[in-house]
Coordinates of all heavy atoms in Angstrom, one line a residue:
M1 N -15.4 -13.5 17.5 CA -14.2 -14.0 16.8 C -14.0 -13.0 15.6 O -15.0 -12.6 14.9 CB -14.6 -15.3 16.2 CG -13.4 -16.0 15.5 SD -13.9 -17.7 15.3 CE -13.1 -18.0 13.8
T2 N -12.8 -12.6 15.3 CA -12.6 -11.7 14.2 C -12.0 -12.4 13.0 O -11.3 -13.4 13.1 CB -11.4 -10.6 14.7 OG1 -10.3 -11.3 15.0 CG2 -12.0 -9.7 15.8
A3 N -12.4 -11.9 11.9 CA -11.9 -12.6 10.6 C -10.5 -12.1 10.4 O -10.0 -11.0 10.7 CB -12.8 -12.1 9.5
T4 N -9.6 -13.1 9.8 CA -8.3 -12.8 9.4 C -8.4 -12.2 8.0 O -9.0 -12.6 7.1 CB -7.5 -14.2 9.4 OG1 -7.6 -14.7 10.6 CG2 -6.0 -14.0 9.0
I5 N -7.6 -11.1 7.9 CA -7.5 -10.5 6.5 C -6.3 -10.8 5.9 O -5.1 -10.8 6.5 CB -7.5 -8.8 6.8 CG1 -8.8 -8.5 7.6 CG2 -7.3 -8.2 5.5 CD1 -9.4 -7.3 7.2
E6 N -6.4 -11.3 4.6 CA -5.3 -11.8 3.9 C -4.7 -10.6 3.1 O -5.3 -9.9 2.3 CB -5.7 -12.8 2.9 CG -4.6 -13.5 2.1 CD -3.8 -14.4 2.9 OE1 -4.3 -15.0 4.0 OE2 -2.6 -14.6 2.6
I7 N -3.4 -10.2 3.3 CA -2.7 -9.2 2.7 C -2.1 -9.8 1.4 O -1.5 -10.9 1.4 CB -1.6 -8.5 3.5 CG1 -2.3 -8.0 4.7 CG2 -0.8 -7.6 2.7 CD1 -1.4 -7.3 5.7
P8 N -2.4 -9.3 0.2 CA -2.0 -9.9 -1.1 C -0.4 -10.0 -1.1 O 0.3 -9.2 -0.5 CB -2.4 -8.9 -2.1 CG -3.6 -8.2 -1.5 CD -3.3 -8.2 -0.1
P9 N 0.0 -11.0 -1.8 CA 1.6 -11.1 -1.9 C 2.2 -10.0 -2.7 O 1.5 -9.2 -3.3 CB 1.7 -12.5 -2.6 CG 0.4 -12.6 -3.4 CD -0.7 -12.0 -2.6
S10 N 3.5 -9.9 -2.6 CA 4.2 -8.9 -3.2 C 4.1 -8.8 -4.7 O 4.1 -7.8 -5.3 CB 5.7 -9.0 -2.9 OG 5.9 -8.9 -1.6
G11 N 3.8 -10.0 -5.3 CA 3.7 -9.9 -6.8 C 2.4 -9.5 -7.3 O 2.2 -9.3 -8.5
D12 N 1.4 -9.2 -6.4 CA 0.1 -8.8 -6.8 C 0.2 -7.4 -7.5 O 0.9 -6.5 -6.9 CB -0.8 -8.6 -5.6 CG -2.3 -8.5 -5.9 OD1 -2.6 -7.4 -6.6 OD2 -3.1 -9.3 -5.5
M13 N -0.3 -7.2 -8.6 CA -0.2 -6.0 -9.5 C -0.8 -4.8 -8.9 O -0.5 -3.7 -9.1 CB -0.7 -6.2 -10.9 CG 0.1 -7.2 -11.7 SD 1.9 -6.7 -11.7 CE 1.8 -5.0 -12.5
R14 N -1.7 -5.0 -7.9 CA -2.4 -3.9 -7.2 C -1.3 -3.0 -6.5 O -1.4 -1.8 -6.5 CB -3.4 -4.3 -6.2 CG -4.7 -4.8 -7.0 CD -5.7 -5.4 -6.0 NE -5.2 -6.7 -5.5 CZ -6.0 -7.6 -5.0 NH1 -7.2 -7.3 -4.8 NH2 -5.5 -8.8 -4.6
W15 N -0.3 -3.6 -5.9 CA 0.7 -2.9 -5.2 C 1.6 -2.0 -6.2 O 1.8 -0.9 -6.0 CB 1.8 -3.8 -4.5 CG 1.1 -4.7 -3.5 CD1 1.2 -6.0 -3.4 CD2 0.4 -4.3 -2.4 NE1 0.5 -6.5 -2.3 CE2 0.1 -5.5 -1.6 CE3 -0.1 -3.1 -1.8 CZ2 -0.7 -5.4 -0.4 CZ3 -0.8 -3.0 -0.7 CH2 -1.2 -4.2 0.0
H16 N 1.9 -2.6 -7.4 CA 2.6 -1.9 -8.4 C 1.8 -0.8 -9.0 O 2.3 0.3 -9.3 CB 3.1 -2.9 -9.4 CG 4.1 -3.8 -8.8 ND1 5.4 -3.6 -8.6 CD2 3.9 -5.1 -8.4 CE1 6.0 -4.7 -7.9 NE2 5.1 -5.6 -7.9
R17 N 0.5 -1.0 -9.2 CA -0.3 0.0 -9.6 C -0.5 1.2 -8.7 O -0.5 2.3 -9.2 CB -1.8 -0.5 -10.0 CG -1.7 -1.5 -11.2 CD -3.1 -2.1 -11.5 NE -4.1 -1.1 -11.6 CZ -5.4 -1.4 -11.1 NH1 -5.7 -2.5 -10.5 NH2 -6.3 -0.5 -11.1
L18 N -0.5 0.9 -7.5 CA -0.6 2.0 -6.5 C 0.8 2.8 -6.4 O 0.7 4.0 -6.5 CB -0.8 1.4 -5.1 CG -2.2 1.0 -4.7 CD1 -2.1 0.2 -3.4 CD2 -3.0 2.3 -4.6
L19 N 1.8 2.0 -6.4 CA 3.1 2.7 -6.3 C 3.6 3.5 -7.5 O 4.3 4.4 -7.4 CB 4.3 1.8 -5.8 CG 4.0 1.1 -4.3 CD1 5.0 0.1 -4.0 CD2 4.0 2.3 -3.3
S20 N 3.1 2.9 -8.6 CA 3.5 3.6 -9.9 C 2.6 5.0 -10.1 O 3.0 5.7 -11.0 CB 3.3 2.7 -11.0 OG 1.9 2.5 -11.3
G21 N 1.6 5.0 -9.4 CA 0.7 6.2 -9.6 C -0.4 5.9 -10.6 O -1.2 6.8 -10.9
E22 N -0.4 4.7 -11.2 CA -1.5 4.4 -12.1 C -2.9 4.5 -11.4 O -3.8 4.9 -12.1 CB -1.3 2.9 -12.6 CG -2.3 2.4 -13.6 CD -2.0 1.0 -14.0 OE1 -0.9 0.6 -14.0 OE2 -3.1 0.3 -14.3
V23 N -2.9 4.1 -10.2 CA -4.2 4.2 -9.4 C -3.8 5.1 -8.3 O -2.9 5.1 -7.6 CB -4.5 2.8 -8.8 CG1 -5.8 2.9 -7.9 CG2 -4.8 1.9 -9.9
R24 N -4.8 6.1 -8.0 CA -4.6 7.1 -7.0 C -5.9 7.3 -6.1 O -6.6 8.2 -6.3 CB -4.2 8.5 -7.6 CG -2.9 8.5 -8.3 CD -2.7 9.8 -9.0 NE -1.5 9.8 -9.6 CZ -0.2 10.2 -9.1 NH1 -0.3 10.7 -7.9 NH2 0.7 10.3 -9.9
P25 N -6.0 6.3 -5.1 CA -7.2 6.5 -4.3 C -7.0 7.6 -3.3 O -5.8 8.1 -3.1 CB -7.2 5.1 -3.6 CG -5.8 4.7 -3.6 CD -5.2 5.2 -4.8
T26 N -8.0 8.1 -2.7 CA -8.0 9.0 -1.6 C -7.9 8.2 -0.3 O -8.7 7.4 -0.1 CB -9.3 9.9 -1.6 OG1 -9.4 10.5 -2.8 CG2 -9.3 10.9 -0.5
Y27 N -6.8 8.5 0.5 CA -6.6 7.7 1.7 C -7.2 8.5 2.9 O -7.1 9.7 3.0 CB -5.1 7.5 1.9 CG -4.4 6.8 0.8 CD1 -3.5 7.5 -0.1 CD2 -4.7 5.5 0.6 CE1 -3.0 6.7 -1.1 CE2 -4.2 4.8 -0.5 CZ -3.3 5.4 -1.3 OH -2.7 4.7 -2.4
K28 N -7.9 7.7 3.8 CA -8.4 8.3 5.1 C -7.3 8.3 6.1 O -7.3 9.2 6.9 CB -9.5 7.4 5.5 CG -10.7 7.4 4.6 CD -11.8 6.6 5.1 CE -13.0 6.5 4.2 NZ -14.1 5.6 4.7
C29 N -6.4 7.4 6.1 CA -5.3 7.3 7.1 C -4.2 8.3 6.8 O -3.5 8.1 5.8 CB -4.9 5.8 7.1 SG -3.5 5.6 8.3
L30 N -3.9 9.2 7.6 CA -2.9 10.2 7.4 C -1.5 9.6 7.3 O -0.8 9.9 6.4 CB -2.9 11.3 8.5 CG -1.8 12.3 8.4 CD1 -1.9 13.1 7.2 CD2 -1.8 13.2 9.6
A31 N -1.3 8.5 8.2 CA 0.1 7.9 8.1 C 0.3 7.3 6.7 O 1.4 7.3 6.1 CB 0.2 6.9 9.2
L32 N -0.8 6.6 6.2 CA -0.7 6.0 4.8 C -0.4 7.1 3.8 O 0.3 6.9 2.8 CB -2.0 5.2 4.6 CG -2.0 4.5 3.2 CD1 -0.7 3.6 3.0 CD2 -3.3 3.7 3.0
R33 N -1.2 8.2 3.9 CA -1.0 9.3 2.9 C 0.5 9.7 2.9 O 1.1 9.8 1.8 CB -1.9 10.5 3.2 CG -3.2 10.3 2.7 CD -3.9 11.6 2.9 NE -4.8 11.5 4.1 CZ -5.4 12.5 4.7 NH1 -5.2 13.7 4.3 NH2 -6.2 12.3 5.8
I34 N 1.1 9.9 4.0 CA 2.5 10.3 4.1 C 3.4 9.2 3.5 O 4.3 9.5 2.8 CB 2.8 10.7 5.6 CG1 2.0 12.0 5.9 CG2 4.4 10.9 5.7 CD1 2.1 12.3 7.4
L35 N 3.2 8.0 3.9 CA 4.0 6.9 3.4 C 3.9 6.8 1.9 O 4.9 6.6 1.3 CB 3.6 5.6 4.1 CG 4.3 4.3 3.6 CD1 5.7 4.3 3.9 CD2 3.6 3.1 4.2
M36 N 2.7 6.9 1.3 CA 2.5 6.8 -0.1 C 3.3 7.9 -0.9 O 3.7 7.7 -2.0 CB 1.0 6.8 -0.4 CG 0.4 5.4 0.0 SD 1.2 4.0 -0.8 CE 0.8 4.3 -2.6
I37 N 3.3 9.1 -0.3 CA 4.1 10.2 -1.0 C 5.5 9.8 -1.2 O 6.1 9.9 -2.2 CB 3.9 11.4 -0.2 CG1 2.6 12.0 -0.4 CG2 5.0 12.5 -0.7 CD1 2.2 13.2 0.6
R38 N 6.1 9.2 -0.1 CA 7.6 8.8 -0.1 C 7.7 7.6 -1.0 O 8.6 7.6 -1.8 CB 8.0 8.5 1.3 CG 9.5 8.2 1.4 CD 9.9 8.0 2.7 NE 9.3 6.9 3.5 CZ 9.7 5.6 3.3 NH1 10.5 5.2 2.3 NH2 9.0 4.6 3.8
L39 N 6.8 6.6 -0.9 CA 7.1 5.4 -1.6 C 6.8 5.6 -3.1 O 7.6 5.1 -3.9 CB 6.1 4.3 -1.1 CG 6.3 3.7 0.2 CD1 5.3 2.7 0.6 CD2 7.7 3.2 0.4
T40 N 5.8 6.4 -3.5 CA 5.6 6.6 -5.0 C 6.8 7.4 -5.6 O 7.2 7.2 -6.7 CB 4.3 7.4 -5.2 OG1 4.2 8.6 -4.5 CG2 3.1 6.5 -4.9
H41 N 7.3 8.4 -4.8 CA 8.6 9.1 -5.4 C 9.7 8.1 -5.5 O 10.4 8.2 -6.5 CB 8.9 10.2 -4.5 CG 7.9 11.4 -4.6 ND1 7.9 12.2 -5.7 CD2 7.0 12.0 -3.8 CE1 6.9 13.1 -5.6 NE2 6.4 13.0 -4.4
A42 N 9.9 7.3 -4.5 CA 11.0 6.4 -4.6 C 10.8 5.3 -5.7 O 11.7 4.9 -6.4 CB 11.2 5.6 -3.2
Y43 N 9.5 4.9 -5.9 CA 9.2 3.9 -6.9 C 9.5 4.4 -8.3 O 9.9 3.7 -9.2 CB 7.8 3.5 -6.8 CG 7.3 2.3 -7.5 CD1 7.3 1.1 -7.0 CD2 6.8 2.4 -8.8 CE1 6.9 -0.1 -7.7 CE2 6.4 1.3 -9.5 CZ 6.4 0.1 -8.9 OH 6.0 -1.1 -9.6
D44 N 9.4 5.6 -8.5 CA 9.6 6.3 -9.8 C 11.1 6.5 -10.2 O 11.4 6.7 -11.4 CB 8.9 7.7 -9.8 CG 8.7 8.2 -11.2 OD1 8.4 7.4 -12.1 OD2 8.8 9.4 -11.4
R45 N 11.9 6.3 -9.3 CA 13.4 6.5 -9.6 C 13.9 5.3 -10.3 O 13.5 4.2 -10.1 CB 14.2 6.6 -8.2 CG 13.8 7.8 -7.5 CD 14.6 7.8 -6.2 NE 16.1 7.5 -6.5 CZ 17.0 8.2 -5.9 NH1 16.8 9.1 -5.0 NH2 18.3 7.9 -6.2
P46 N 14.9 5.5 -11.2 CA 15.3 4.5 -12.1 C 16.1 3.4 -11.3 O 16.1 2.2 -11.7 CB 16.3 5.1 -13.1 CG 16.2 6.6 -12.8 CD 15.3 6.8 -11.7
D47 N 16.7 3.8 -10.1 CA 17.5 2.8 -9.4 C 16.6 2.3 -8.2 O 17.2 1.7 -7.3 CB 18.7 3.5 -8.8 CG 18.4 4.6 -7.9 OD1 17.3 5.2 -8.0 OD2 19.3 5.0 -7.1
A48 N 15.2 2.4 -8.3 CA 14.3 1.9 -7.2 C 14.4 0.5 -7.0 O 14.5 -0.3 -8.0 CB 13.0 2.4 -7.5
D49 N 14.4 0.1 -5.8 CA 14.4 -1.3 -5.4 C 12.8 -1.6 -5.2 O 12.4 -1.6 -4.0 CB 15.2 -1.6 -4.0 CG 15.1 -3.1 -3.7 OD1 14.3 -3.9 -4.3 OD2 15.8 -3.4 -2.6
R50 N 12.1 -1.8 -6.3 CA 10.6 -1.9 -6.2 C 10.1 -3.0 -5.4 O 9.2 -2.7 -4.6 CB 10.2 -2.0 -7.6 CG 10.3 -0.6 -8.3 CD 9.7 -0.6 -9.7 NE 9.9 0.8 -10.2 CZ 10.3 1.1 -11.4 NH1 10.7 0.1 -12.3 NH2 10.5 2.3 -11.8
P51 N 10.7 -4.2 -5.3 CA 10.2 -5.2 -4.4 C 10.3 -4.8 -3.0 O 9.4 -5.1 -2.2 CB 11.1 -6.5 -4.8 CG 11.5 -6.2 -6.2 CD 11.7 -4.7 -6.3
A52 N 11.4 -4.1 -2.6 CA 11.5 -3.6 -1.2 C 10.4 -2.6 -0.9 O 10.0 -2.6 0.3 CB 12.9 -3.1 -1.0
L53 N 10.1 -1.8 -1.8 CA 9.0 -0.8 -1.6 C 7.7 -1.4 -1.5 O 6.9 -1.0 -0.5 CB 9.1 0.3 -2.8 CG 10.4 1.1 -2.8 CD1 10.3 2.0 -4.2 CD2 10.5 2.0 -1.7
V54 N 7.4 -2.4 -2.2 CA 6.2 -3.1 -2.1 C 6.1 -3.8 -0.8 O 5.1 -3.7 -0.1 CB 6.0 -4.2 -3.2 CG1 4.9 -5.1 -2.9 CG2 5.8 -3.4 -4.6
E55 N 7.2 -4.4 -0.3 CA 7.2 -5.1 1.0 C 7.0 -4.0 2.1 O 6.4 -4.4 3.1 CB 8.5 -5.8 1.2 CG 8.6 -7.2 0.6 CD 7.4 -8.0 1.2 OE1 7.1 -8.0 2.4 OE2 6.7 -8.7 0.3
E56 N 7.6 -2.9 1.9 CA 7.3 -1.8 3.0 C 5.9 -1.4 3.1 O 5.4 -1.3 4.2 CB 8.2 -0.6 2.6 CG 8.2 0.4 3.8 CD 9.1 1.6 3.5 OE1 10.0 1.5 2.7 OE2 9.0 2.6 4.3
L57 N 5.2 -1.3 1.9 CA 3.8 -1.0 2.0 C 3.0 -2.2 2.6 O 2.1 -2.0 3.3 CB 3.3 -0.7 0.6 CG 1.8 -0.3 0.4 CD1 1.5 0.9 1.3 CD2 1.6 0.0 -1.1
R58 N 3.2 -3.4 2.2 CA 2.6 -4.5 2.8 C 2.8 -4.6 4.3 O 1.9 -4.9 5.0 CB 3.2 -5.8 2.2 CG 2.7 -6.0 0.7 CD 3.2 -7.4 0.2 NE 2.4 -8.4 0.8 CZ 2.9 -9.4 1.5 NH1 4.2 -9.5 1.8 NH2 2.1 -10.3 2.0
K59 N 4.0 -4.3 4.7 CA 4.3 -4.3 6.2 C 3.5 -3.3 6.9 O 3.1 -3.5 8.0 CB 5.8 -4.2 6.4 CG 6.2 -4.3 7.8 CD 7.7 -4.3 8.1 CE 8.1 -4.3 9.5 NZ 7.3 -4.3 10.6
F60 N 3.4 -2.2 6.2 CA 2.5 -1.1 6.8 C 1.1 -1.5 7.1 O 0.6 -1.4 8.2 CB 2.5 0.2 5.9 CG 1.5 1.2 6.4 CD1 1.9 2.2 7.4 CD2 0.2 1.2 5.9 CE1 0.9 3.0 7.9 CE2 -0.7 2.1 6.4 CZ -0.3 3.0 7.4
F61 N 0.6 -2.2 6.2 CA -0.8 -2.7 6.3 C -0.8 -3.9 7.3 O -1.7 -3.9 8.2 CB -1.4 -3.2 5.0 CG -1.9 -2.0 4.2 CD1 -1.3 -1.7 3.0 CD2 -3.0 -1.3 4.6 CE1 -1.8 -0.7 2.2 CE2 -3.4 -0.2 3.9 CZ -2.8 0.1 2.7
H62 N 0.2 -4.7 7.3 CA 0.2 -5.8 8.3 C 0.2 -5.2 9.7 O -0.4 -5.6 10.6 CB 1.4 -6.6 8.1 CG 1.6 -7.8 9.1 ND1 2.3 -7.7 10.2 CD2 1.0 -9.0 9.1 CE1 2.2 -8.8 10.8 NE2 1.6 -9.6 10.2
D63 N 1.1 -4.1 9.9 CA 1.3 -3.6 11.3 C 0.2 -2.6 11.7 O 0.1 -2.3 12.9 CB 2.7 -2.9 11.3 CG 3.8 -3.9 11.2 OD1 3.6 -5.1 11.3 OD2 5.0 -3.4 10.9
N64 N -0.5 -2.0 10.7 CA -1.4 -0.9 11.0 C -2.7 -1.1 10.5 O -3.4 -0.1 10.3 CB -0.8 0.4 10.5 CG 0.5 0.7 11.1 OD1 0.7 1.1 12.2 ND2 1.6 0.6 10.2
L65 N -3.2 -2.3 10.3 CA -4.5 -2.6 9.7 C -5.6 -2.0 10.5 O -6.6 -1.5 9.9 CB -4.7 -4.1 9.5 CG -5.8 -4.5 8.5 CD1 -5.6 -3.8 7.1 CD2 -5.9 -6.0 8.4
R66 N -5.5 -1.9 11.8 CA -6.7 -1.4 12.6 C -6.9 0.1 12.2 O -8.0 0.5 12.4 CB -6.4 -1.6 14.0 CG -5.3 -0.8 14.6 CD -5.2 -1.1 16.1 NE -4.1 -0.4 16.7 CZ -2.9 -0.8 16.9 NH1 -2.5 -1.9 16.4 NH2 -2.0 0.1 17.5
F67 N -5.7 0.8 11.8 CA -6.0 2.3 11.5 C -6.3 2.4 10.0 O -6.9 3.4 9.7 CB -4.7 3.0 11.8 CG -4.3 3.0 13.2 CD1 -3.1 2.4 13.6 CD2 -5.1 3.6 14.1 CE1 -2.8 2.4 15.0 CE2 -4.8 3.6 15.4 CZ -3.6 2.9 15.9
A68 N -5.8 1.5 9.1 CA -5.9 1.7 7.7 C -6.8 0.7 7.0 O -6.7 0.4 5.8 CB -4.5 1.6 7.1
R69 N -7.7 0.1 7.8 CA -8.6 -1.0 7.3 C -9.4 -0.6 6.1 O -9.5 -1.2 5.1 CB -9.5 -1.5 8.4 CG -10.4 -2.7 8.0 CD -11.2 -3.1 9.1 NE -10.4 -3.6 10.2 CZ -10.0 -4.9 10.3 NH1 -10.2 -5.8 9.4 NH2 -9.2 -5.3 11.4
D70 N -10.1 0.7 6.2 CA -10.8 1.2 5.1 C -10.0 1.4 3.8 O -10.5 1.0 2.7 CB -11.6 2.5 5.5 CG -12.6 2.3 6.6 OD1 -13.1 1.2 6.7 OD2 -13.0 3.3 7.2
D71 N -8.9 2.0 4.0 CA -8.0 2.1 2.8 C -7.6 0.9 2.1 O -7.6 0.7 0.9 CB -6.8 3.0 3.2 CG -7.1 4.4 3.5 OD1 -8.1 5.0 2.9 OD2 -6.5 5.0 4.5
F72 N -7.3 -0.1 3.1 CA -6.9 -1.4 2.6 C -8.0 -2.1 1.7 O -7.8 -2.6 0.6 CB -6.5 -2.3 3.7 CG -6.0 -3.7 3.3 CD1 -4.8 -3.9 2.7 CD2 -6.8 -4.7 3.6 CE1 -4.5 -5.2 2.4 CE2 -6.5 -6.1 3.1 CZ -5.3 -6.2 2.5
A73 N -9.2 -2.0 2.3 CA -10.4 -2.5 1.7 C -10.6 -1.8 0.3 O -10.8 -2.5 -0.7 CB -11.6 -2.3 2.6
T74 N -10.4 -0.6 0.2 CA -10.6 0.1 -1.1 C -9.5 -0.4 -2.1 O -9.9 -0.7 -3.2 CB -10.4 1.7 -0.9 OG1 -11.4 2.1 0.0 CG2 -10.4 2.4 -2.2
I75 N -8.3 -0.6 -1.7 CA -7.2 -1.0 -2.5 C -7.5 -2.5 -3.0 O -7.4 -2.8 -4.2 CB -5.9 -0.9 -1.8 CG1 -5.5 0.5 -1.6 CG2 -4.8 -1.7 -2.6 CD1 -4.4 0.8 -0.6
V76 N -7.8 -3.4 -2.1 CA -7.9 -4.7 -2.4 C -9.2 -5.0 -3.2 O -9.1 -5.9 -4.1 CB -7.9 -5.6 -1.1 CG1 -8.3 -7.0 -1.4 CG2 -6.5 -5.5 -0.5
Q77 N -10.2 -4.3 -2.9 CA -11.5 -4.5 -3.7 C -11.5 -3.8 -5.1 O -12.4 -4.0 -5.8 CB -12.7 -4.0 -2.9 CG -12.8 -4.8 -1.6 CD -13.8 -4.1 -0.7 OE1 -14.4 -3.0 -0.9 NE2 -14.2 -4.8 0.5
G78 N -10.4 -3.1 -5.4 CA -10.3 -2.5 -6.7 C -11.0 -1.3 -6.9 O -11.3 -0.8 -7.9
A79 N -11.6 -0.7 -5.8 CA -12.4 0.5 -5.9 C -11.5 1.7 -5.9 O -12.0 2.9 -5.9 CB -13.4 0.6 -4.8
A80 N -10.2 1.6 -5.9 CA -9.3 2.7 -5.8 C -9.3 3.4 -7.1 O -9.6 3.0 -8.2 CB -7.9 2.2 -5.6

């Protein structure tokens, strides 16, 4: 039996800290590294739809957790 992993809600400040660049972990998953480059640049724009960017990052983890599990654990556990 596998444990269910709870992805934090959009309002969780960890997402905003990541996308704003306040926290800069080293990612193991190449796809996540590429996504984060795009999302952090978009997040920094004055006209950014920040809630949509957070949702895109959450969706990435929802859809790709088997590849990005270690990175997700680092982010959620605050070791980033």
Side-chain angles (χ1 to χ4, degrees):
M1 186 167 147
T2 59
T4 301
I5 300 213
E6 185 74 28
I7 297 175
S10 299
D12 191 305
M13 289 308 296
R14 289 175 283 200
W15 300 126
H16 298 280
R17 290 177 49 221
L18 281 170
L19 293 174
S20 70
E22 180 183 332
V23 175
R24 294 179 182 262
T26 301
Y27 302 111
K28 295 179 181 180
C29 176
L30 178 60
L32 179 58
R33 280 189 257 164
I34 294 167
L35 177 65
M36 287 303 296
I37 290 169
R38 185 177 63 75
L39 292 180
T40 54
H41 286 292
Y43 192 90
D44 195 36
R45 295 178 51 137
D47 62 339
D49 182 356
R50 292 186 174 132
L53 296 171
V54 169
E55 274 306 313
E56 186 174 348
L57 182 55
R58 290 183 73 244
K59 183 172 178 3
F60 172 85
F61 281 114
H62 180 268
D63 295 345
N64 300 288
L65 195 57
R66 68 180 183 266
F67 299 116
R69 183 179 301 272
D70 291 342
D71 293 324
F72 180 77
T74 298
I75 291 164
V76 171
Q77 293 168 358

